Amino acid sequence: MMFSAYSESGRQEIEALFIRTFSDSEGQSEGKLIGYLVHELMSGAEADDLFGFIATEQEQIVGCIFFTRLSFGSPIKAFMLSPVAVDTDHQGKGIGQKLIDFGIKRLRELGVELVFTYGDPSYYSKVGFEHVSQEIAEAPFKLSYPEGWLGQSLDGGSLELPLGQACCIEAFNDPRYW
Ligand SMILES: CC(C)(COP(=O)(O)OP(=O)(O)OC[C@H]1O[C@@H](n2cnc3c(N)ncnc32)[C@H](O)[C@@H]1OP(=O)(O)O)[C@@H](O)C(=O)NCCC(=O)NCCS
């Protein structure tokens, strides 16, 4: 298994990975929605606002994660991990966890201070995330599942001081993702 930054040449394969993985786990309409999100991220986001990482096995992309910039009313450097997909036939082998660890390590090297995500706390707690209250960091949209708003500090700082309202990049400006 190889972990690396994604490159433009992998775009179609990555989009197909998200569509099929989310269709398998949550149905076709969710697969289509997340496929659209990933397409918009890869084609529309500013290069500075997006990091993508892939897991490759025998030249096939079997996992992919994206981080996009979250802005607060302060210069703090924060990104959000979403979405995450590991090919259905490759799940449960630790690929997701290793890929997230790989991406977070790269972001730390690049001086990112905070990483947030919105997902299953029982999964993301395995890679260092813990619950963040809306008083500490308010999510860009009203959350249907506030327990799933999670974060971690990459520089040893704390997530206890209020950061205010987070703003996401354009591709996430849609209440269906929240
Ligand atoms: C969620 C997902 C990314 C996990 O990837 P994976 O490679 O299968 O996960 P790993 O093998 O690294 O799992 C590591 C651990 O998390 C557990 N785990 C896996 N999926 C989980 C889930 N959905 N909820 C809770 N725990 C989960 C595993 O049992 C394993 O536990 P262990 O370390 O105690 O043995 C993958 O299953 C997936 O793509 N699912 C469909 C799309 C999705 O839901 N994406 C996440 C939301 S954006």
Side-chain angles (χ1 to χ4, degrees):
M1 186 70 52
M2 250 184 58
F3 299 100
S4 58
Y6 99 101
S7 68
E8 294 205 358
S9 62
R11 277 187 185 179
Q12 276 191 340
E13 197 181 346
I14 289 170
E15 196 176 323
L17 167 74
F18 277 93
I19 293 171
R20 89 174 169 266
T21 304
F22 277 83
S23 296
D24 287 347
S25 69
E26 291 176 49
Q28 255 185 0
S29 64
E30 188 69 9
K32 209 170 151 194
L33 179 68
I34 303 300
Y36 173 73
L37 167 68
V38 164
H39 180 86
E40 292 294 294
L41 290 178
M42 292 189 293
S43 59
E46 298 287 331
D48 276 5
D49 291 344
L50 176 77
F51 294 103
F53 300 97
I54 54 170
T56 310
E57 191 176 73
Q58 290 170 349
E59 292 179 28
Q60 187 201 348
I61 298 175
V62 296
C64 182
I65 59 176
F66 286 103
F67 296 89
T68 53
R69 191 178 297 278
L70 270 191
S71 310
F72 291 90
S74 71
I76 197 144
K77 208 169 169 187
F79 278 77
M80 175 174 70
L81 168 63
S82 179
V84 173
V86 172
D87 177 64
T88 310
D89 292 342
H90 291 78
Q91 289 174 7
K93 298 177 184 167
I95 297 172
Q97 209 168 302
K98 286 191 193 118
L99 184 56
I100 294 169
D101 284 340
F102 178 85
I104 285 178
K105 186 164 174 266
R106 284 293 296 127
L107 263 57
R108 183 181 287 117
E109 287 164 3
L110 293 165
V112 173
E113 296 160 272
L114 293 173
V115 179
F116 291 83
T117 194
Y118 181 42
D120 184 344
S122 68
Y123 182 68
Y124 289 103
S125 62
K126 290 175 194 292
V127 282
F129 287 91
E130 51 187 54
H131 177 67
V132 179
S133 74
Q134 292 301 296
E135 286 70 40
I136 295 293
E138 193 178 340
F141 279 77
K142 187 169 165 47
L143 301 176
S144 54
Y145 176 54
E147 298 77 18
W149 185 235
L150 312 168
Q152 65 175 294
S153 164
L154 303 192
D155 66 354
S158 97
L159 254 171
E160 280 161 20
L161 291 174
L163 293 161
Q165 164 91 57
C167 285
C168 54
I169 67 162
E170 182 61 30
F172 278 103
N173 268 332
D174 184 330
R176 287 179 298 176
Y177 299 129
W178 303 91

